[in-house]
Amino acid sequence: MHITKAKIRNYRSRAHCDIEFRDGLNILVGDNEAGKSTLLEAVSLALTGSLNGRPLAQELHPFLFSVQATRNYLAALHGGKPATLPAITIELFFSDIPELAEFRGDNHSEKPGDLPGIIYSIEFNDAYKDAYEQYIAKRDDVRSIPVEYYQAVCQSFARKSVLPRQIPLSPVIVDASRITTITGANRYVTGLIREALPPKEQVQLSVAYRKLREIFLADDSIKQINAKFAERHGEISEKTLSMTLDPTARGGWETAVMPSLDDVPITLVGKGEQNAVKIKLALENSSDANVFLIEEPENHLSFSRLHGLINAITKKAGARQLIITTHSSFVLNKLGINNVILFRDGASMRLDALTADTYEYFKKLPGHDTLRLLLSSRSILVEGPSDELVVQKAFIAKHGVSPLEKGVDVISVKGLAFKRFLEIAKLLGIKTDVVTDNDGDVEALKAKYADYPADGKINVRYDDDEAFPTLEPQMLKANSLERLNSVLGTDYDDPDALTEYMTKPANKTDVALKIFDTTEAITFPGYINAAVE
């Protein structure tokens, strides 16, 4: 069983969000503030009734409501118009299987038809109608949504009240980055360990800790300290003051035992190791879970460690549903770009129309910056670092600011990957320019990009003069010998000699850096100017 769709209204940054999920793997990508984390949080809230590990009633505040919903309510209220209190709704549609028949009904927004699922609402409680009317008597004094008059209601699509424990879909949500303080991190990890231990071993640990307390109290130094306290009987209290250890439940082993790695407390090891351990422990405590919700597993991890963690996550999840958010191209390439759900301009879409070859290419070579392309509004693809520097310089010369300041991402792409990137750009409608060498064979270049005729969205930029096959001779063609000598700090009197110098592999990056750093006026080839227009 799995979640097939989520429809969210008025929750945090998601005033309106409809997203479909697959059984198995789903990778959420999008820019910052796109709503990826909000989506995971909303799904978890609907299934568990908890937020940040606490019942919603303890976490309910006005900022859970979207800005737009709040503004609309306050505008109507202050304008003397009927002001309907907004509600947050989270609809989760489940796979239509016999085990979920009791959740089947028409209490959903996908009418007509009976479907299985739940609707979780944070809505006004009519029991507070009189108190609310009194509260808004002075309308101009109301500055936020009065959540004190709200309640959380969860119903199945069959219109029956549902408690979290009655919902067959059980989530495991992992966001290790949220635990930042030493105490918080220790409690988080200890909690995961406690939940992973069977009851018998928890009892054994509790007994061992109680014995440790008894040993502490029997220590001679503690006895001496307590004897001194006893001598001062009556000064501080009429009762005898002594030093002890907390014997109550809140003073159990969970609050005193600190997990360690190679005898180093976990809160003092590297952040990457901490996050990996937290994620793996959470997955260990997942035998009853149907849905894994994992927030940015790449935090603080190197490629090699991330590779191992991704393998562990997919192995542990097995055939169960896995929803991951990421800002890592490595993660999405490794797990399969065909599993990506892109959050863009308030909507979501899947990259499931790419060719199988492209999926496999990025999966086998996960180091490509595919995420940069996915999140860009416009991109310029170039053949390497040298070309990237020159194109960026040309853009700055044209616009006075760097490409990123204009929302343009210049991405260095290896030759074999150009068409793979263009396939993604075409699918998503991203305006993309390819800046490429003609390599002395214009006809071969035309044949290579025959599937991408210039259409205003995708344009392949090159110079058709085969006598100038690469960037360096093109720069010499566009500028005088004297000008390039001045920029590069060289003193060649023969254009061929300067070209040979610039095209040597050992010099290419240095040449590009000097062009990028120069304050002299310099001319760029026409095909580059067209790309940065």
Side-chain angles (χ1 to χ4, degrees):
M1 60 185 68
H2 65 281
I3 301 168
T4 60
K5 179 184 286 189
K7 300 184 76 171
I8 300 168
R9 300 293 182 268
N10 297 331
Y11 187 69
R12 292 196 188 269
S13 62
R14 308 307 296 175
H16 184 285
C17 175
D18 294 353
I19 183 168
E20 294 185 1
F21 297 109
R22 292 174 178 162
D23 188 12
L25 183 61
N26 301 266
I27 308 170
L28 306 182
V29 301
D31 215 339
N32 291 331
E33 302 300 319
K36 305 181 300 297
S37 300
T38 296
L39 175 62
L40 291 194
E41 187 178 274
V43 170
S44 177
L45 173 59
L47 291 175
T48 67
S50 298
L51 189 61
N52 301 323
R54 289 151 54 92
L56 178 71
Q58 299 177 25
E59 291 287 316
L60 185 58
H61 55 78
F63 296 103
L64 287 183
F65 291 79
S66 70
V67 171
Q68 191 59 53
T70 302
R71 286 176 178 170
N72 291 344
Y73 165 70
L74 293 177
L77 191 69
H78 296 161
K81 300 176 182 178
T84 302
L85 280 162
I88 292 171
T89 60
I90 305 168
E91 290 180 87
L92 298 183
F93 295 78
F94 300 156
S95 49
D96 199 353
I97 57 177
E99 292 93 323
L100 297 173
E102 64 180 298
F103 290 83
R104 213 169 186 278
D106 63 356
N107 184 29
H108 56 79
S109 59
E110 293 278 292
K111 295 180 174 59
D114 288 353
L115 295 169
I118 60 170
I119 179 167
Y120 185 91
S121 303
I122 302 173
E123 60 188 36
F124 178 67
N125 186 343
D126 285 332
Y128 295 109
K129 183 177 180 180
D130 292 341
Y132 172 68
E133 291 296 335
Q134 185 177 355
Y135 174 78
I136 63 170
K138 295 183 178 180
R139 295 190 169 210
D140 290 342
D141 291 342
V142 179
R143 292 289 179 267
S144 62
I145 295 173
V147 295
E148 295 80 6
Y149 305 130
Y150 273 70
Q151 63 180 342
V153 177
C154 187
Q155 287 188 323
S156 69
F157 287 172
R159 302 180 187 277
K160 295 179 180 178
S161 295
V162 176
L163 296 174
R165 65 174 180 271
Q166 296 173 310
I167 301 173
L169 273 77
S170 174
V172 169
I173 185 164
V174 184
D175 182 5
S177 64
R178 287 191 180 185
I179 312 300
T180 55
T181 65
I182 290 179
T183 302
N186 187 44
R187 287 179 179 173
Y188 180 78
V189 177
T190 303
L192 292 174
I193 292 174
R194 182 188 63 245
E195 292 171 2
L197 291 176
K200 184 177 180 180
E201 292 181 4
Q202 289 190 46
V203 170
Q204 291 173 343
L205 192 54
S206 181
V207 169
Y209 181 65
R210 178 170 53 79
K211 290 180 179 179
L212 187 63
R213 285 202 305 252
E214 293 169 354
I215 293 172
F216 174 84
L217 295 174
D219 187 87
D220 289 341
S221 60
I222 301 301
K223 288 181 177 179
Q224 291 175 11
I225 292 171
N226 284 338
K228 289 183 178 180
F229 282 142
E231 291 173 1
R232 301 182 64 182
H233 179 81
E235 294 181 21
I236 300 173
S237 171
E238 292 302 318
K239 297 182 179 181
T240 301
L241 178 67
S242 64
M243 181 181 292
T244 185
L245 294 179
D246 189 351
T248 64
R250 68 174 181 273
W253 67 267
E254 297 96 330
T255 60
V257 174
M258 176 173 286
S260 298
L261 299 174
D262 287 342
D263 297 326
V264 177
I266 192 168
T267 52
L268 300 180
V269 301
K271 294 291 185 182
E273 184 70 16
Q274 283 190 46
N275 283 357
V277 168
K278 292 171 188 175
I279 290 172
K280 289 179 180 178
L281 282 172
L283 294 175
E284 283 299 315
N285 180 40
S286 62
S287 58
D288 297 328
N290 313 94
V291 183
F292 291 79
L293 308 170
I294 301 180
E295 178 84 9
E296 297 182 16
E298 68 269 15
N299 283 336
H300 305 289
L301 290 175
S302 65
F303 272 10
S304 60
R305 293 301 305 278
L306 182 57
H307 176 84
L309 180 60
I310 292 301
N311 286 341
I313 289 172
T314 52
K315 181 179 179 181
K316 193 66 181 179
R320 291 173 287 183
Q321 190 169 40
L322 182 61
I323 304 174
I324 294 179
T325 71
T326 186
H327 282 123
S328 167
S329 291
F330 183 91
V331 171
L332 71 90
N333 290 338
K334 185 68 179 174
L335 291 177
I337 199 169
N338 55 314
N339 297 307
V340 165
I341 302 173
L342 176 63
F343 272 54
R344 191 186 185 91
D345 299 327
S348 61
M349 65 179 300
R350 279 193 173 274
L351 272 68
D352 53 6
L354 300 176
T355 63
D357 286 347
T358 294
Y359 294 140
E360 287 302 311
Y361 180 86
F362 286 121
K363 194 169 185 178
K364 291 175 181 176
L365 298 170
H368 287 290
D369 282 332
T370 46
L371 191 58
R372 288 174 60 186
L373 177 64
L374 292 177
L375 300 183
S376 67
S377 56
R378 182 189 169 196
S379 66
I380 301 175
L381 306 181
V382 298
E383 292 188 337
S386 300
D387 301 65
E388 183 177 349
L389 286 167
V390 173
V391 169
Q392 292 215 40
K393 179 67 173 183
F395 192 99
I396 293 169
K398 176 72 176 178
H399 300 281
V401 295
S402 70
L404 284 176
E405 291 178 82
K406 284 278 191 177
V408 180
D409 204 345
V410 181
I411 305 172
S412 179
V413 177
K414 295 178 181 178
L416 293 175
F418 267 107
K419 293 182 69 175
R420 311 292 185 185
F421 274 78
L422 288 181
E423 191 178 340
I424 296 172
K426 185 176 182 179
L427 175 65
L428 299 180
I430 300 170
K431 188 177 188 309
T432 302
D433 288 270
V434 174
V435 175
T436 185
D437 299 330
N438 67 47
D439 291 326
D441 192 343
V442 172
E443 290 305 313
L445 189 62
K446 289 179 179 179
K448 178 180 179 181
Y449 293 106
D451 293 336
Y452 300 97
D455 61 1
K457 279 289 187 181
I458 295 178
N459 297 282
V460 181
R461 311 288 189 181
Y462 59 91
D463 188 274
D464 58 7
D465 189 342
E466 294 180 355
F468 300 87
T470 61
L471 174 65
E472 291 79 15
Q474 285 286 341
M475 288 298 297
L476 184 55
K477 175 186 175 183
N479 295 273
S480 66
L481 180 65
E482 292 74 20
R483 175 55 51 84
L484 277 190
N485 271 325
S486 176
V487 168
L488 301 179
T490 53
D491 189 24
Y492 290 97
D493 55 11
D494 177 27
D496 290 339
L498 180 56
T499 299
E500 182 180 355
Y501 166 79
M502 290 193 296
T503 54
K504 283 184 178 179
N507 297 334
K508 288 173 72 74
T509 301
D510 185 57
V511 167
L513 281 169
K514 287 180 177 178
I515 292 173
F516 185 85
D517 289 335
T518 187
T519 57
E520 296 186 42
I522 193 167
T523 303
F524 295 92
Y527 68 101
I528 291 180
N529 285 328
V532 302
E533 189 62 44

